[in-house]
Amino acid sequence: MGLSEKVQLLGAGLYTDIPDVLTLSSIPTVSELDYVGNEDFDKTMLDSILPKAVEEKINFRDLLEIDYEWICRCLRILNYGPYFTTNMVLCPTCKDAVRGREQQVDLQTIDCKPLPAGFTNDITIPAGAFIDYKQDVHMHLMTIARVIEMNNDKSFKLADGGVNSRLARACYCITSIGNHTHMTPVEVKLELSKNFSPADYLILADEVGRLSDYGLRAAGRCACPVCGNKEAAYLALSSDRFFRPSVGDLRAWGQARGERGMEDLRRYTASAVQKHS
């Protein structure tokens, strides 16, 4: 019998057509994720995996970016447990990245920053935040569909093939500036280039980052395999890698699951659920 668990979304109350709680279940035994790389992970997850693994019928592309990442991480823990083997740890004592030594970490050590009580997805950066610019800026948290569109937008490509991610995120998060409403990312980019001083642009980019900084953190805590410092960290971005646990990870989960039953996922989601109740 497959496992299932109800998970409350971080953006509970912000959706029109998506319930606050989704029911996650086991993904197919041999899933499409076994055949994809990071470049097509999101498409496969949205189009093939989530429709099979989530009981409720919704448009998964309408999920906020923070909820998409939250669901992916919860689904991973439900199906494969919380343990993950990494070969890179960042240690403040060693003052360097410890590479090449495998370390089993617990994904449940990744903190999640919930939305504040009463949050509405219309965030204002007041004109007073800037040095020269004299108009308010409005922004919102992006859906995962919007993030994918941003990542594919050639308007923000750099000469070396990379992406000006700071500028792209600002232009895609911002919805209006002063009397200019329903702005496209290209229109926002034009306004920033024409009317924002270099100092005000830096302030704006910093405010966009700060005011959209919710959801799962990028790293979790672990012990350093060299010096044993328990305040070391490992990176944990949602990707195909996290759906490919080692046999050792699965065996560690099997032992823990026998001792705790389904507490792994319930414990992981409890904090966010309580803060949204």
Side-chain angles (χ1 to χ4, degrees), residues 34-92:
D34 292 326
Y35 303 100
V36 305
N38 196 41
E39 67 279 357
D40 49 11
F41 171 78
D42 292 329
K43 184 178 188 304
T44 302
M45 181 63 71
L46 290 165
D47 295 343
S48 302
I49 302 300
L50 291 183
K52 297 174 184 175
V54 177
E55 181 179 302
E56 293 75 17
K57 305 303 178 186
I58 65 171
N59 185 344
F60 294 99
R61 291 175 182 270
D62 288 341
L63 285 169
L64 292 175
E65 177 186 18
I66 61 173
D67 274 326
Y68 168 69
E69 293 177 350
W70 176 241
I71 289 296
C72 286
R73 193 60 51 79
C74 290
L75 192 64
R76 197 282 190 188
I77 293 175
L78 175 67
N79 283 273
Y80 299 118
Y83 302 109
F84 174 72
T85 297
T86 182
N87 61 3
M88 186 180 77
V89 171
L90 307 172
C91 178

Side-chain angles (χ1 to χ4, degrees), residues 125-130 132-138 177-180 191 195-196:
I125 303 174
F130 304 113
D132 299 307
Y133 201 72
K134 303 304 181 185
Q135 299 189 77
D136 292 347
V137 174
H138 289 267
I177 300 177
N179 295 324
H180 303 289
E191 176 69 10
N195 297 317
F196 272 70

Side-chain angles (χ1 to χ4, degrees), residues 7-18:
V7 175
Q8 183 163 327
L9 298 181
L10 302 177
L14 298 179
Y15 298 104
T16 301
D17 299 321
I18 298 178

Side-chain angles (χ1 to χ4, degrees), residues 12 22 29 38 58 63 67 69-70 81 89 96 99 101 107 116 133 142 166 200 205 212 242 257 259:
L22 296 181
T29 302
N38 196 41
I58 65 171
L63 285 169
D67 274 326
E69 293 177 350
W70 176 241
V89 171
D96 198 2
R99 302 174 186 270
R101 296 185 60 169
L107 296 176
Y133 201 72
M142 289 190 286
R166 195 178 197 190
D200 279 341
S212 61
F242 286 94
R257 187 174 155 192
E259 297 169 355

Side-chain angles (χ1 to χ4, degrees), residues 91-251:
C91 178
T93 300
C94 296
K95 301 185 185 305
D96 198 2
V98 179
R99 302 174 186 270
R101 296 185 60 169
E102 290 192 344
Q103 175 82 343
Q104 189 176 79
V105 297
D106 186 343
L107 296 176
Q108 294 170 121
T109 63
I110 300 169
D111 290 331
C112 183
K113 182 179 178 181
L115 297 174
F119 178 88
T120 60
N121 202 12
D122 182 10
I123 306 164
T124 301
I125 303 174
F130 304 113
I131 296 172
D132 299 307
Y133 201 72
K134 303 304 181 185
Q135 299 189 77
D136 292 347
V137 174
H138 289 267
M139 57 170 281
H140 63 179
L141 302 182
M142 289 190 286
T143 64
I144 185 57
R146 189 79 164 161
V147 172
I148 292 173
E149 180 184 353
M150 175 188 73
N151 291 336
N152 292 327
D153 193 334
K154 295 180 180 179
S155 303
F156 299 95
K157 296 290 185 181
L158 299 172
D160 62 1
V163 177
N164 188 335
S165 55
R166 195 178 197 190
L167 176 60
R169 182 161 286 270
C171 291
Y172 269 81
C173 282
I174 291 170
T175 57
S176 65
I177 300 177
N179 295 324
H180 303 289
T181 60
H182 306 293
M183 298 176 74
T184 67
V186 172
E187 290 171 335
V188 174
K189 183 180 179 183
L190 182 61
E191 176 69 10
L192 298 186
S193 64
K194 287 177 57 179
N195 297 317
F196 272 70
S197 67
D200 279 341
Y201 166 69
L202 290 179
I203 291 171
L204 176 70
D206 184 73
E207 285 292 281
V208 169
R210 182 181 68 84
L211 295 171
S212 61
D213 184 28
Y214 298 106
L216 288 165
R217 306 294 85 185
R221 300 178 304 280
C222 65
C224 175
V226 174
C227 70
N229 184 344
K230 295 184 178 180
E231 294 303 315
Y234 61 93
L235 294 179
L237 304 176
S238 293
S239 70
D240 62 304
R241 291 181 59 235
F242 286 94
F243 285 82
R244 292 190 175 94
S246 70
V247 173
D249 298 332
L250 295 174
R251 286 175 175 160

